[in-house]
Amino acid sequence: MAGTLVMKFGGTSVGNAGAMAQAAQIVKDARAEWPRVVVVTSAISGATNLLLDSATRAARGDLSTLVEVETLLLNNHEAIINAQVSDPARQAQLKQEIARMISNFGSLCRAMGVLGEASPRALDAVASLGERMSVRILAGVIESIGVAARAVDSTEFIITNTTFQNAHPDFDATTIKTRAVLNPLLDESIVPVTTGFIGATPDGAVTTLGRGGSDYSAGIIGAVLPADDVWIWTDVDGVMTADPRMVPEARTLPEISYSEVAELAYYGAKVLHPKTVRPVVDEGIGLRICNTFNPTHPGTRLVPNLKTNGKTSKEHVVKAVTAIRKQRMITIEGRGMLGVPGVAARAFGAVASTGTSVPLITQASSEQSICFAVPSESAAPVLSALERAFAAELEDNDIDRVWATEDVSIITVVGAGMRHTPGVSGRVFSQLGDHSVNVLAIAQGSSEVSISMVVESQDTEAAVRSLHELIVK
Ligand code: ASP
Ligand code: MG
């Protein structure tokens, strides 16, 4: 089954009439070279936020902005239909479908207003509407330029568990259904245009794969079909060495390995949803990130992890630098913790009970403290959970205190070659020292593909810029 390409368009790539036309043209061009093309799309940019904000407001009893949001969504979607769908009958039909979905959205919000509650399940039903609207319009726009296309809700074939808002796919069931739904269309040279982000439980309840999950949808579909290549169309020229808003000399990396990109995504580079890579790598499928607004740029190719065998060329050492802002370091300290088994397990159990994920952990070998980062907004609930979990130890002074810093940033340098290159961390720290950046904590990823440092928030730019200088031109 050679020649299958999955292309995913992000929210900005379908965000207005011009972008949507551009995306459709990209599909047409790809269709000229690939016999089988599957399109996955996000909601138009901003739609998911609008939908979810309205739902949570409604659950608090605030319906004051609902009509405004309904009108805004209707106008934004209709503007694209008016501009890019040529057939009047098709236009009318699409507008009717969009109006139906927006009225569905209004009803769901009003129901939440009455109940005073927004369950994860109800939130997924609301959030899914953004993609359900965008696929219909994109399919219409693609058809308008002469390519056979069909909108398909991925609820028909992405089967997940019932973890609403962060559902996990059942790959076996998804494989069978995806092939059954998409192959007949592909066999007839029709381009399926399917919803990213959403799936359904075996009982048919709509789920979502987590915010930003459309990339993951493309990875899943690519893996189960299987496709030869998965291309992620976004609004930047691929994966960059740093955020260009912070580092003007940042540039596109022509290639990056799977483990490097996973590390980058985990540490704040918003190029690719972190879960996307795994299913694709496992199947040996090609993955590329490219720019809808600069489609001739080659973008970034994902390549298998480098087998460096100790012979790393210089350019592989430091490849990219990221920053995650608005974190706080939580410290649990006390001499009574020395050698006591289970303290860390209890600490992280308490953190997990608040639903917080921990991006970075450091422990001094003296075992007198445990220190980790959490997003700033989670610091207060995490501290209370820890105080509850260690109430007895705090009472007995085995633990002296549990405290949080002010806002800090986590700076991460990524590069697979670092593991075989002596002295990289030395260079990293002297570079920071030369630029008067004080390092509050350090963690090295166990994969040795990255080194992360915690710095004060006012040092974020200086840290990123100075570390970017270590990237060999
Ligand atoms: N529309 C969804 C979101 O905003 C999924 C995505 O864009 O990938 O989170
Ligand atoms: Mg997105």
Side-chain angles (χ1 to χ4, degrees):
M1 205 169 289
T4 303
L5 172 65
V6 172
M7 297 207 288
K8 178 259 169 178
F9 293 95
T12 50
S13 297
V14 292
N16 55 43
M20 190 96 57
Q22 177 71 8
Q25 187 58 46
I26 287 170
V27 173
K28 185 171 187 172
D29 293 344
R31 201 43 204 81
E33 302 198 354
W34 295 76
R36 302 162 78 86
V37 175
V38 177
V39 171
V40 179
T41 184
S42 294
I44 69 173
S45 49
T48 313
N49 285 342
L50 278 172
L51 293 165
L52 285 172
D53 287 350
S54 304
T56 43
R57 268 168 190 272
R60 290 199 307 264
D62 174 4
L63 294 171
S64 63
T65 53
L66 184 57
V67 173
E68 204 180 303
V69 172
E70 287 174 314
T71 311
L72 184 62
L73 286 169
L74 194 69
N75 291 344
N76 288 348
H77 288 88
E78 284 197 347
I80 304 176
I81 299 172
N82 287 335
Q84 307 297 354
V85 177
S86 42
D87 176 39
R90 192 87 175 82
Q91 269 201 9
Q93 179 221 342
L94 281 169
K95 285 186 190 171
Q96 212 174 24
E97 287 183 48
I98 299 303
R100 182 170 53 82
M101 290 193 186
I102 290 174
S103 107
N104 187 352
F105 157 67
S107 314
L108 283 163
C109 286
R110 288 182 184 92
M112 289 181 197
V114 173
L115 290 169
E117 181 194 56
S119 66
R121 180 176 172 147
L123 287 172
D124 274 357
V126 170
S128 72
L129 291 166
E131 272 71 9
R132 291 180 194 256
M133 293 192 281
S134 64
V135 285
R136 286 165 172 75
I137 301 178
L138 182 56
V141 176
I142 293 172
E143 274 181 338
S144 292
I145 56 168
V147 178
R150 175 99 37 91
V152 185
D153 286 330
S154 58
T155 46
E156 286 182 40
F157 59 85
I158 304 264
I159 308 303
T160 72
N161 63 10
T162 55
T163 311
F164 293 98
Q165 301 195 284
N166 193 21
H168 187 73
D170 171 344
F171 276 92
D172 292 334
T174 298
T175 302
I176 296 168
K177 293 241 181 184
T178 304
R179 291 179 185 172
V181 174
L182 299 185
N183 279 337
L185 294 172
L186 293 169
D187 290 343
E188 284 182 61
S189 299
I190 295 170
V191 175
V193 180
T194 190
T195 48
F197 184 47
I198 70 180
T201 66
D203 298 339
V206 182
T207 54
T208 65
L209 306 174
R211 291 306 306 273
S214 294
D215 292 344
Y216 186 30
S217 305
I220 297 166
I221 295 168
V224 302
L225 270 176
D228 297 279
D229 254 16
V230 174
W231 295 357
I232 305 287
W233 291 92
T234 177
D235 53 10
V236 289
D237 293 335
V239 182
M240 304 200 65
T241 51
D243 183 342
R245 286 166 300 184
M246 220 187 284
V247 184
E249 27 337 325
R251 60 197 160 78
T252 301
L253 289 160
E255 283 188 349
I256 188 164
S257 72
Y258 296 129
S259 54
E260 288 170 331
V261 85
E263 212 76 354
L264 273 179
Y266 184 75
Y267 285 111
K270 289 202 178 61
V271 276
L272 196 59
H273 188 280
K275 286 184 186 164
T276 312
V277 173
R278 174 84 189 282
V280 177
V281 184
D282 287 351
E283 299 299 321
I285 294 164
L287 187 57
R288 192 183 147 205
I289 300 170
C290 26
N291 188 352
T292 302
F293 306 101
N294 189 12
T296 54
H297 190 288
T300 301
R301 264 267 164 211
L302 279 276
V303 295
N305 292 338
L306 297 168
K307 299 215 177 47
T308 47
N309 302 325
K311 285 178 288 177
T312 311
S313 68
K314 240 183 157 187
E315 55 264 281
H316 291 138
V317 178
V318 174
K319 272 199 164 168
V321 187
T322 66
I324 322 185
R325 294 170 191 269
K326 292 204 169 22
Q327 303 288 307
R328 295 202 177 175
M329 295 299 287
I330 308 278
T331 303
I332 307 170
E333 66 186 12
R335 268 172 295 171
M337 288 170 34
L338 199 71
V340 179
V343 174
R346 281 167 58 207
F348 290 111
V351 176
S353 74
T354 66
T356 304
S357 75
V358 172
L360 176 142
I361 306 172
T362 63
Q363 179 172 22
S365 56
S366 71
E367 286 192 48
Q368 289 180 20
S369 69
I370 297 175
C371 188
F372 53 89
V374 297
S376 297
E377 72 273 10
S378 304
V382 165
L383 285 180
S384 346
L386 290 169
E387 278 158 10
R388 276 196 305 279
F390 292 110
E393 286 81 357
L394 283 160
E395 170 85 28
D396 295 346
N397 293 324
D398 285 337
I399 288 177
D400 298 326
R401 62 183 190 134
V402 177
W403 57 285
T405 60
E406 292 297 299
D407 279 5
V408 295
S409 295
I410 300 176
I411 310 296
T412 302
V413 293
V414 174
M418 297 194 304
R419 86 179 83 190
H420 295 296
T421 314
V424 179
S425 33
R427 256 185 287 153
V428 165
F429 296 115
S430 50
Q431 187 72 2
L432 292 175
D434 292 349
H435 291 81
S436 315
V437 174
N438 187 21
V439 176
L440 306 173
I442 304 165
Q444 176 157 31
S446 56
S447 60
E448 288 187 51
V449 167
S450 69
I451 304 172
S452 293
M453 288 130 299
V454 178
V455 305
E456 282 169 27
S457 57
Q458 76 262 22
D459 288 338
T460 310
E461 276 87 4
V464 171
R465 287 200 195 109
S466 61
L467 291 173
H468 194 265
E469 289 169 13
L470 295 179
I471 299 173
V472 180
K473 297 265 151 41

